[in-house]
C-alpha cells in the first residue's frame, strides 16, 4: 500500500486549523514539524509550545483522490496564508525506518549510549542502553552530550549525585554506571520519572536511583547533600535555582550546569559564583557546560 503525504506550511496561530482541515480531508495521522529551525527547549508547567512557523503534515491513503483532497484543503483554509506540498510515499516498515535513524554514540573514553535494538559496538565498554522512544534526552543534543562527557571524565567513586531536571534519567544512570553509589532524580513531569525508572531498569541500576517531583524532593530531602549536582535545564531556571542547588552540594562538591546558550553563560556564572569556584565554560556548538567546586 502506498501513501500520500500532504504538508501545509503556515504560522503557529493557524496550525490547529490546518490540523483540523487535514483530518477533515481524510488524513490518517497528522504531525507538526518546525519550518524554520527554531529551538524549543523545556516548556513551562502546563505549556504546549509550538514553533512560529510550522509544517502540518497529513498522511493519506495512496488511493485517495489527490485533487479532491487538495480542493477540500483549499476550501477549508480559505483566507489563511499557507503553502502546500504533496509527496507519494512507497509502503515500508516505518517502525524499522525510525529505529534505523538511531545509532550508538560514544561520550568520552568509557561511556557509550546504545539503542536497545542494536548490539553495542564495544561490548566491554560501559554501555548505557536507551530506548529512543522514551525521549526527554537521548544524548543527541549538545547539552546532554556535554554532561555525559563531563561525567565520563570526572566520575570515579563519588557517593552521590543529584540530577535536577532528570528527564529520561540518562545522566543519573550514566553516573551510576560510571561509579556513583546512589543518584536522586528530580523533574516537574511525572512522565519523566516513569521514563527514568524504565531506563534504569533496562540498565540494571534501578535499585540505585530514586526520583521525585520537586515538592516531594524538598519535603523529603531538605538537608541532603550530594557529591555532584547536575542540572541540564534552561538558563532562567538555573539562575533562579542557584541557592537551592548550592544548598544540596556538599563542600568541595561539584556543580554541573547545562542547557545554556553561549550568550547566557555569563549571567548563569554570576548567579553561582557566590557559592562556587566556577571554571571557564566548555562549548559544543552554541551550547555551554559550566562547572564549579563548592566553597
Amino acid at each position: 500500500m502506498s501513501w500520500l503525504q500532504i504538508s501545509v506550511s503556515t504560522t503557529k496561530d493557524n496550525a490547529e486549523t490546518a490540523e483540523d482541515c487535514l483530518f477533515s480531508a481524510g488524513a490518517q495521522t497528522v504531525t507538526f514539524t518546525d519550518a524554520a529551525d527554531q529551538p524549543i527547549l523545556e516548556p513551562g508547567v502546563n505549556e504546549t509550545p509550538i514553533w512560529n512557523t510550522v509544517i502540518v503534515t497529513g498522511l493519506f491513503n495512496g488511493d485517495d483522490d489527490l485533487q479532491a483532497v487538495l480542493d477540500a484543503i483549499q476550501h477549508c483554509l480559505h483566507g489563511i496564508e499557507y503553502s502546500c506540498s504533496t509527496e507519494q510515499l512507497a509502503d515500508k516498515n516505518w517502525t524499522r525506518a525510525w529505529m534505523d535513524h538511531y545509532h550508538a554514540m560514544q561520550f568520552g573514553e568509557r561511556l557509550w549510549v546504545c539503542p536497545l535494538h542494536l548490539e553495542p559496538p564495544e561490548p566491554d565498554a560501559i554501555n548505557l542502553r536507551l530506548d529512543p522512544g522514551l525521549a526527554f534526552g537521548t544524548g543527541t543534543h549538545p547539552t546532554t552530550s556535554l554532561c555525559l562527557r563531563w561525567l565520563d571524565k570526572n566520575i570515579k567513586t563519588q557517593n552521590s549525585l543529584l540530577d535536577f531536571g532528570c528527564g529520561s534519567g540518562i545522566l543519573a544512570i550514566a553516573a551510576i554506571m560510571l561509579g556513583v553509589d546512589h543518584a536522586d532524580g528530580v523533574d516537574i513531569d511525572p512522565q519523566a520519572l516513569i521514563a527514568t525508572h524504565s531506563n534504569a531498569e533496562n540498565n540494571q541500576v534501578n535499585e540505585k536511583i530514586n526520583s521525585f517531583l520537586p515538592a516531594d524532593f524538598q519535603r523529603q530531602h531538605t538537608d541532603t547533600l550530594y557529591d555532584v549536582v547536575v542540572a541540564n535545564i534552561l538558563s532562567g531556571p538555573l539562575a533562579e535555582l542557584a541557592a537551592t542547588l548550592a544548598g544540596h552540594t556538599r563542600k568541595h562538591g561539584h556543580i554541573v550546569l547545562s542547557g545554556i546558550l553561549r550568550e547566557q553563560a555569563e549571567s548563569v556564572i554570576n548567579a553561582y559564583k557566590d557559592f562556587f569556584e566556577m571554571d571557564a565554560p566548555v562549548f559544543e556548538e552554541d551550547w555551554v557546560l559550566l562547572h564549579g567546586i563548592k566553597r
Side-chain angles (χ1 to χ4, degrees):
M1 177 181 176
S2 63
W3 298 92
L4 171 63
Q5 180 175 280
I6 299 179
S7 299
V8 175
S9 180
T10 187
T11 64
K12 67 177 181 180
D13 292 336
N14 297 318
E16 187 173 344
T17 300
E19 178 188 24
D20 293 341
C21 179
L22 289 169
F23 275 126
S24 297
Q28 302 297 303
T29 64
V30 175
T31 58
F32 288 38
T33 53
D34 182 12
D37 196 27
Q38 175 193 355
I40 288 180
L41 302 175
E42 184 175 327
V45 178
N46 297 324
E47 291 180 356
T48 306
I50 193 170
W51 305 277
N52 291 331
T53 54
V54 60
I55 299 173
V56 187
T57 301
L59 194 64
F60 296 79
N61 290 328
D63 54 4
D64 285 353
D65 186 328
L66 173 58
Q67 191 57 54
V69 173
L70 292 176
D71 289 345
I73 293 171
Q74 183 178 18
H75 176 76
C76 182
L77 296 180
H78 178 72
I80 291 176
E81 184 177 349
Y82 73 96
S83 61
C84 188
S85 63
T86 65
E87 183 180 359
Q88 292 285 344
L89 303 176
D91 194 20
K92 64 189 297 186
N93 186 334
W94 292 104
T95 300
R96 172 54 57 185
W98 167 79
M99 292 171 69
D100 288 346
H101 176 72
Y102 294 92
H103 56 86
M105 296 173 289
Q106 186 174 11
F107 298 94
E109 297 182 358
R110 298 179 289 164
L111 179 66
W112 285 77
V113 176
C114 185
L116 290 172
H117 64 280
L118 296 178
E119 288 299 317
E122 293 192 13
D124 294 332
I126 296 173
N127 289 293
L128 194 164
R129 310 305 300 272
L130 194 70
D131 179 1
L134 291 173
F136 298 100
T138 57
T140 59
H141 195 276
T143 60
T144 310
S145 173
L146 284 163
C147 292
L148 290 171
R149 293 180 193 280
W150 188 93
L151 293 172
D152 176 83
K153 182 178 180 180
N154 294 281
I155 294 297
K156 306 299 181 185
T157 57
Q158 287 87 345
N159 290 325
S160 60
L161 176 139
L162 172 63
D163 182 1
F164 203 94
C166 59
S168 67
I170 185 172
L171 301 181
I173 295 167
I176 293 292
M177 297 177 73
L178 288 163
V180 168
D181 290 336
H182 176 83
D184 287 332
V186 178
D187 204 286
I188 62 173
D189 187 348
Q191 291 299 315
L193 307 187
I194 294 172
T196 290
H197 286 289
S198 176
N199 289 324
E201 187 70 33
N202 287 335
N203 288 280
Q204 294 83 50
V205 297
N206 198 34
E207 72 283 356
K208 294 187 175 184
I209 295 178
N210 293 326
S211 65
F212 307 89
L213 295 171
D216 295 332
F217 175 74
Q218 291 298 345
R219 184 171 60 253
Q220 298 179 41
H221 292 276
T222 303
D223 300 319
T224 304
L225 298 176
Y226 298 86
D227 296 309
V228 181
V229 175
V230 58
N232 180 17
I233 51 178
L234 299 182
S235 63
L238 282 176
E240 295 172 4
L241 287 165
T244 298
L245 297 184
H248 286 292
T249 309
R250 72 174 70 255
K251 189 174 182 179
H252 306 310
H254 300 268
I255 189 79
V256 182
L257 309 171
S258 195
I260 307 162
L261 289 166
R262 186 181 294 261
E263 61 269 21
Q264 298 166 339
E266 184 176 356
S267 64
V268 178
I269 289 173
N270 288 337
Y272 283 81
K273 66 182 182 180
D274 289 342
F275 309 100
F276 298 89
E277 292 291 340
M278 300 298 294
D279 294 338
V282 177
F283 299 97
E284 183 173 332
E285 299 177 11
D286 292 328
W287 299 93
V288 177
L289 179 139
L290 301 176
H291 167 257
I293 299 292
K294 180 76 175 294
R295 292 191 181 93

